[in-house]
């Protein structure tokens, strides 16, 4: 059992961190390991910080069982920066890229790629279903000559998630995945099928301020000359992500987070815990006789972000948010672009927190079985 927090926080990001990570950071804040310095005060070129960033990269590689021909990079600019960083690093000698769009973030990635690449081909889009399902793979239209194929493994706002394995793509395709909101939530059994994986840390792996990139070494030779220097992966790889001053403190917290995941039993164990949490939550939705509604097709429901509505009724949802907040269940409002409600139940969220939410949902349905009468 993990100790309870003062509130149950279901934020989509920046999100909950494991209590133990925060406690270690607190105890080391002023004097890191007897150095007399805070991690925020030390040179990134010193032996102390080198050991911090080195351990973070090594622990991440060990969690992911990362093959030797991949580099771990800690970069700045967030996942949104990577929307530009990906085409800028991978399209030398190419004029076409392929994107699969299954929600808000995939669309954002396309928009950014269009600035740098002549042909941004949409392999398929879930927009006609309001991003409630993944388009049937039989309808995906790959280009014969794309530099890469990009997809979003978990759409944080729409709650649409791919399975644990890489989608099927034509032989030789370089697969690039925005894994921001399900990174480290489960093992990646076929990691060698990916060319690049990236993830903003603030969902499932640490605090805001650092984006993690995993890049297959042979792809380091394809940067466009206009790529900003701090984003040239080859140069960052050569410099252990310290071409310039890295986001030292966020990387340190990520390192503590990776150690916590290892201690929890690694990604297999965390995946089992995540699956249990998601199934508890979807069970309450499915057993509510249509009171709670999950808009997402059951074949691609996210285990990390669970959007739902209550009888499609805004007033009932407002009441839910107010009462939930009194019960110390926080940050359950859906993203402004889609409305409704959303519970984000990332790695750091304990089963007990989901149990508290589920109990509240059952009690709320009993107390408010029908929408309130409209105000006169
Ligand atoms: C949050 C998120 C982003 C944007 O991340 P920033 O770090 O804010 O740039 C991109 N993609 C996905 C899937 C996300 O969840």
């Amino acid at each position: 059992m993990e100790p309870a927090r003062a509130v149950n926080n279901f934020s989509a990001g920046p999100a909950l961190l494991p209590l133990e990570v925060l406690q270690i950071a607190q105890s080391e804040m002023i004097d890191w390991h007897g150095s007399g310095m805070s991690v925020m005060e030390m040179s990134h070129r010193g032996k102390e910080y080198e050991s911090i960033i080195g351990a973070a990269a090594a622990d991440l590689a060990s969690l992911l069982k990362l093959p030797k021909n991949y580099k771990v990079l800690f970069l700045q600019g967030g996942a949104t920066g990577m929307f530009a960083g990906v085409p800028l690093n991978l399209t030398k000698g190419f004029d076409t890229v392929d994107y699969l769009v299954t929600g808000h973030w995939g669309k954002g990635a396309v928009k950014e790629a269009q600035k740098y690449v002549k042909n941004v081909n949409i392999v398929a889009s879930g927009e006609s279903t309001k991003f409630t399902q993944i388009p049937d793979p039989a309808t995906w239209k790959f280009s014969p000559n794309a530099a890469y194929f990009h997809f979003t493994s978990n759409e944080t706002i729409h709650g649409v998630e791919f399975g644990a394995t890489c989608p099927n793509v034509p032989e030789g395709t370089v697969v690039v995945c925005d894994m921001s909101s399900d990174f480290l939530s489960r093992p990646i059994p076929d990691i060698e099928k990916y060319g690049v994986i990236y993830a903003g840390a603030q969902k499932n792996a640490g605090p805001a301020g650092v984006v993690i990139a995993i890049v297959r070494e042979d792809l380091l030779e394809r940067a466009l000359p206009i790529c900003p220097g701090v984003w040239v992966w080859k140069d960052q790889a050569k410099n252990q992500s310290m071409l310039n001053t890295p986001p030292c403190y966020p990387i340190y917290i990520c390192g503590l987070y990776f150690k916590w995941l290892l201690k929890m039993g690694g990604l297999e164990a965390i995946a089992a815990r995540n699956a249990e949490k998601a199934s508890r939550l979807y069970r309450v939705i499915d057993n509510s006789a249509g009171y709670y509604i999950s808009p997402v097709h059951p074949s691609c429901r996210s285990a990390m972000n669970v959007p739902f509505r209550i009888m499609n009724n805004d007033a009932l949802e407002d009441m839910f948010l107010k009462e939930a907040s009194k019960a110390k269940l926080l940050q359950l409002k859906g993203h402004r672009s889609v409305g409704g409600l959303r519970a984000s139940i990332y790695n750091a969220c304990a089963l007990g927190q989901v149990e508290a939410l589920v109990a509240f949902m059952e009690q709320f349905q009993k107390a408010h079985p029908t929408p309130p009468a409209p105000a006169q």
Side-chain angles (χ1 to χ4, degrees):
M1 267 298 280
E2 287 162 75
R5 299 287 300 267
V7 297
N8 292 312
N9 175 359
F10 300 96
S11 169
L16 191 65
L17 288 164
L19 179 61
E20 203 179 305
V21 165
L22 296 175
Q23 286 169 334
I24 294 172
Q26 181 182 44
S27 74
E28 298 179 342
M29 171 163 277
I30 295 174
D31 182 356
W32 182 82
H33 292 203
S35 66
M37 296 180 280
S38 170
V39 175
M40 283 179 274
E41 301 171 314
M42 50 180 68
S43 166
H44 57 291
R45 307 282 179 209
K47 63 177 182 346
E48 293 91 351
Y49 195 74
E50 242 171 50
S51 79
I52 290 171
I53 194 170
D59 286 341
L60 179 59
S62 139
L63 278 167
L64 289 170
K65 302 188 167 59
L66 194 63
K68 288 270 176 280
N69 60 328
Y70 287 79
K71 295 284 187 205
V72 171
L73 304 177
F74 297 104
L75 304 170
Q76 298 187 69
T80 307
M82 290 296 286
F83 292 171
V86 164
L88 284 166
N89 273 279
L90 293 179
T91 58
K92 192 169 80 183
F94 291 86
D95 64 3
T96 303
V97 291
D98 277 353
Y99 280 72
L100 179 64
V101 178
T102 53
H104 172 96
W105 293 113
K107 261 176 92 167
V110 165
K111 215 170 139 198
E112 206 58 21
Q114 284 166 338
K115 296 182 188 170
Y116 307 106
V117 190
K118 193 161 147 228
N119 309 309
V120 179
N121 171 49
I122 308 299
V123 171
S125 168
E127 190 144 25
S128 63
T129 67
K130 294 195 171 137
F131 297 124
T132 56
Q133 58 192 74
I134 294 170
D136 177 1
T139 67
W140 297 4
K141 291 202 165 52
F142 292 93
S143 313
N145 49 357
Y148 58 84
F149 163 75
H150 180 283
F151 78 108
T152 313
S153 54
N154 182 60
E155 280 286 352
T156 321
I157 293 173
H158 292 91
V160 169
E161 188 174 26
F162 283 78
T165 54
C166 185
N168 279 325
V169 295
E171 175 104 29
T173 302
V174 172
V175 177
V176 178
C177 182
D178 175 1
M179 241 183 235
S180 292
S181 51
D182 61 354
F183 189 57
L184 302 183
S185 71
R186 58 189 180 186
I188 309 174
D190 50 0
I191 196 159
E192 72 290 342
K193 289 198 178 148
Y194 294 84
V196 178
I197 291 169
Y198 64 94
Q202 72 273 21
K203 312 291 170 45
N204 235 346
V210 58
V211 54
I212 297 161
I214 293 175
V215 182
R216 211 175 63 209
E217 272 169 359
D218 61 288
L219 298 171
L220 294 172
E221 305 299 331
R222 293 202 196 177
L224 297 178
I226 58 158
C227 183
V230 290
W231 277 353
V232 177
W233 299 341
K234 183 181 182 178
D235 295 338
Q236 287 286 12
K238 244 192 281 177
N239 290 280
Q240 284 74 46
S241 306
M242 297 193 285
L243 181 75
N244 65 325
T245 315
C248 300
Y249 202 78
I251 294 170
Y252 156 71
I253 301 287
C254 288
L256 296 180
Y257 202 126
F258 303 155
K259 287 215 188 298
W260 176 80
L261 285 169
L262 287 165
K263 204 179 122 191
M264 292 291 284
L267 299 187
E268 286 80 7
I270 207 78
R273 177 170 118 133
N274 286 334
E276 176 64 21
K277 283 163 13 194
S279 98
R280 296 271 183 110
L281 194 42
Y282 285 114
R283 205 182 308 147
V284 174
I285 292 170
D286 291 340
N287 292 345
S288 70
Y291 185 76
Y292 295 113
I293 303 160
S294 158
V296 179
H297 193 274
S299 62
C300 52
R301 284 172 165 181
S302 170
M304 295 285 103
N305 309 97
V306 181
F308 60 99
R309 298 221 50 192
I310 309 179
M311 301 182 93
N312 292 317
N313 185 280
D314 294 342
L316 214 41
E317 287 164 356
D318 284 346
M319 204 190 289
F320 181 93
L321 286 171
K322 275 200 198 98
E323 292 190 17
S325 135
K326 273 190 220 148
K328 298 194 173 6
L329 303 163
L330 304 187
Q331 312 213 57
L332 286 161
K333 202 172 164 59
H335 189 269
R336 58 195 142 80
S337 64
V338 295
L341 305 164
R342 172 176 52 168
S344 297
I345 51 174
Y346 298 122
N347 287 334
C349 172
L351 183 58
Q353 299 188 278
V354 172
E355 283 170 343
L357 174 60
V358 158
F360 175 81
M361 288 169 73
E362 286 172 338
Q363 171 260 314
F364 185 85
Q365 181 177 3
K366 280 200 197 98
H368 307 282
T370 53
Q376 293 301 312

